[in-house]
Amino acid sequence: MENTVYILRGFPGGGKSTVAKTLAGNDGIICSADDYFINSEGEYFFQPIRLKDAHSVCFGKFLQALKDGCPTVVLDNTNILKAHFTSYKVLGESYGYMVSVLEVNIPKSKEDLEVLIKRGTHGVPRKTYYRWMEQYE
């Protein structure tokens, strides 16, 4: 079986993390910037000033998983712009992985977006969701 990288794209509350767990199964690795903000009690505490650090740690974990030959590597970030995941895609391919980019529950309307806002658990401001909807490519 071919080693696979799954790059997930989607908004908070859309189910990316659930999909990531399913895709990773027992032998895969999930790489998510969100993990950086989970404390020792398992609580999520987002600090915007640390976002760059979170993505650096996520990228490092992703690279190490590829180097280790992990059979399934899942990137579980919003990846609103293609530029957000291009380096992961290129890196995965350079290590010989099959790379699949999967969109998870992308809102098609304001009503869809409002459902995601209500389901989101990370406290992302409503205006950020709307900005992301406009920027999504």
Side-chain angles (χ1 to χ4, degrees):
M1 187 168 161
E2 188 173 16
N3 287 350
T4 306
V5 165
Y6 294 101
I7 297 173
L8 304 184
R9 304 183 71 199
F11 292 65
K16 288 183 312 302
S17 295
T18 301
V19 170
K21 289 174 189 168
T22 300
L23 292 171
N26 294 327
D27 299 323
I29 297 283
I30 299 171
C31 304
S32 174
D34 279 344
D35 291 346
Y36 186 85
F37 300 107
I38 298 174
N39 67 20
S40 59
E41 287 82 42
E43 301 165 323
Y44 183 82
F45 182 67
F46 181 69
Q47 298 168 304
I49 196 165
R50 304 298 307 262
L51 191 56
K52 187 174 182 176
D53 295 335
H55 281 284
S56 292
V57 170
C58 179
F59 191 80
K61 182 178 180 181
F62 183 87
L63 176 57
Q64 190 61 53
L66 299 180
K67 287 180 177 179
D68 292 344
C70 182
T72 305
V73 182
V74 183
L75 178 64
D76 177 18
N77 289 336
T78 56
N79 295 310
I80 299 300
L81 304 176
K82 291 178 182 176
H84 293 162
F85 67 84
T86 300
S87 58
Y88 289 93
K89 184 175 186 291
V90 169
L91 191 60
E93 291 168 344
S94 74
Y95 273 82
Y97 280 70
M98 182 186 76
V99 178
S100 295
V101 178
L102 306 174
E103 294 182 321
V104 180
N105 202 10
I106 303 303
K108 305 286 188 237
S109 66
K110 289 182 179 181
E111 291 79 16
D112 293 345
L113 190 63
E114 288 295 328
V115 169
L116 298 181
I117 292 168
K118 288 177 185 159
R119 284 199 323 217
T121 59
H122 296 311
V124 176
R126 174 176 263 99
K127 67 181 180 180
T128 300
Y129 276 89
Y130 276 91
R131 186 180 76 241
W132 286 344
M133 188 172 181
E134 290 175 11
Q135 294 174 336
Y136 192 84
E137 54 182 17

